[in-house]
Amino acid sequence: QVSLVESGGGSVQAGGSLTLSCTASGDTSSNRCMGWYRQAPGEKEQEGVAVIDRKGNINYADSVKGRFTLSKDNAKNTLHLEMNNLKPEDTATYYCAADQTGGWCYSAADSVLWPYYGQGTQVTVSS
């Protein structure tokens, strides 16, 4: 079992930057995929944003490629999502997510199916 707590959300103007952080506790094995997904206001569908596998390979959604950077600090059990050049369409609740140990992930979309996720942190981008 792993618990995830997000922080770092907020409100910014378009073009601004935010960095989200996720701290894991419990079973903090690095032998698992982790990442972020988001859910926009009023939307039923969730969108995978970025994932990192247990070898450190990272995959991004096309919508954030070149603007967002995912990083992981195994020593501190933290995951960071640096978001630059934010757009109003990035407005959403962002969730940190983690898979079971031993799995692989090849697409940001995988993150919405994982069993572990946090409470979410709100990001609002105004035009």
Side-chain angles (χ1 to χ4, degrees), residues 7 21 25 40-41 52 64 70 73 87 102 109 112 122 124 126:
S7 61
S21 296
S25 60
I52 182 168
V64 306
L70 181 66
D73 186 334
K87 303 176 180 180
V112 307
Q122 179 67 38
T124 303
S126 57

Side-chain angles (χ1 to χ4, degrees), residues 26-100:
D27 180 5
T28 58
S29 168
S30 61
N31 190 29
R32 66 169 87 240
C33 287
M34 294 187 69
W36 296 85
Y37 65 88
R38 64 188 181 185
Q39 187 165 18
E43 293 288 330
K44 289 182 66 176
E45 297 294 323
Q46 297 159 331
E47 179 190 15
V49 175
V51 297
I52 182 168
D53 71 17
R54 44 200 172 110
K55 287 198 171 183
N57 300 306
I58 298 173
N59 285 284
Y60 296 97
D62 287 343
S63 58
V64 306
K65 217 171 273 186
R67 300 187 298 121
F68 289 14
T69 301
L70 181 66
S71 61
K72 189 179 178 195
D73 186 334
N74 288 325
K76 296 183 179 179
N77 301 319
T78 57
L79 192 69
H80 301 286
L81 184 68
E82 180 182 349
M83 305 185 295
N84 297 312
N85 190 22
L86 283 160
K87 303 176 180 180
E89 50 263 44
D90 294 318
T91 294
T93 300
Y94 284 72
Y95 297 88
C96 178
D99 198 6
Q100 303 280 11

Side-chain angles (χ1 to χ4, degrees), residues 108-120:
D110 294 343
S111 60
V112 307
L113 302 175
W114 294 341
Y116 305 113
Y117 49 90
Q119 293 297 309

